[in-house]
């Protein structure tokens, strides 16, 4: 039961970007959530510098990311790597744009329900 809840909440993260739905961020993320990672620039064949965004920047990113409908209708692979009473670590792999894959590690905490607190991510070459 807990595993299914964690998987469903983890899928709300890419769904928020695809649907540009800030309500999903408000419902399934902690108020201090952050996202840190590395994007690969395919045009220059280089990695960008590490980037960390807080919850307000994350909401801005969600609000505009898929305006041009770049996110394909592809499978989101979710794997629970560790599950304890109050914390969980989930690996998520998916297509963020055509021919652009990402690997995200979600760190969830359990308060009244499971919430996404931290995301560590990078592009997949």
């Amino acid at each position: 039961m807990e595993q299914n809840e964690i998987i469903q909440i983890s899928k709300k993260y890419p769904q928020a970007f695809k649907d540009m739905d800030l309500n999903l961020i408000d419902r399934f993320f902690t108020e201090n959530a952050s996202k840190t990672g590395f994007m690969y620039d395919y045009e220059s064949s280089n990695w960008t510098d590490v980037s960390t965004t807080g919850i307000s920047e994350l909401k801005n990113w969600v609000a505009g990311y898929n305006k041009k409908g770049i996110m394909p209708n592809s499978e989101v692979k979710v794997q629970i790597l560790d599950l304890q009473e109050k914390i969980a670590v989930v690996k998520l792999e998916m297509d963020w744009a055509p021919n652009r894959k990402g690997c995200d590690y979600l760190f969830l905490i359990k308060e009244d329900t499971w919430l996404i607190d931290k995301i560590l991510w990078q592009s997949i070459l």
Side-chain angles (χ1 to χ4, degrees):
M1 181 68 165
E2 293 245 21
Q3 291 182 349
N4 188 47
E5 180 183 4
I6 289 167
I7 289 170
Q8 293 311 311
I9 289 170
S10 296
K11 288 182 176 182
K12 299 298 184 192
Y13 159 57
Q15 182 183 350
F17 276 86
K18 185 163 183 64
D19 298 342
M20 297 182 298
D21 187 346
L22 298 177
N23 291 321
L24 294 175
I25 301 299
D26 290 335
R27 285 186 59 207
F28 299 105
F29 283 67
T30 65
E31 62 184 39
N32 293 315
S34 65
K35 179 174 169 148
T36 300
F38 296 90
M39 187 176 297
Y40 189 75
D41 183 336
Y42 291 88
E43 292 175 14
S44 69
S45 299
N46 288 310
W47 288 96
T48 61
D49 291 335
V50 65
S51 148
T52 298
T53 58
I55 194 72
S56 62
E57 295 162 304
L58 181 62
K59 286 182 178 183
N60 289 337
W61 200 354
V62 164
Y65 183 78
N66 202 33
K67 280 187 179 177
K68 295 182 181 177
I70 62 169
M71 287 185 73
N73 291 325
S74 60
E75 177 187 357
V76 177
K77 294 185 342 187
V78 180
Q79 177 184 7
I80 297 173
L81 301 177
D82 193 15
L83 172 57
Q84 301 296 323
E85 290 79 13
K86 302 293 278 177
I87 61 172
V89 180
V90 173
K91 181 179 180 183
L92 187 144
E93 290 183 61
M94 62 171 289
D95 297 318
W96 285 95
N99 302 311
R100 304 292 189 259
K101 294 186 181 298
C103 174
D104 298 63
Y105 292 92
L106 310 182
F107 297 83
L108 293 87
I109 62 171
K110 186 173 186 179
E111 293 181 338
D112 295 331
T113 184
W114 287 97
L115 297 171
I116 299 168
D117 188 55
K118 305 278 185 260
I119 301 168
L120 184 63
W121 65 279
Q122 76 159 59
S123 302
I124 298 176
L125 302 181

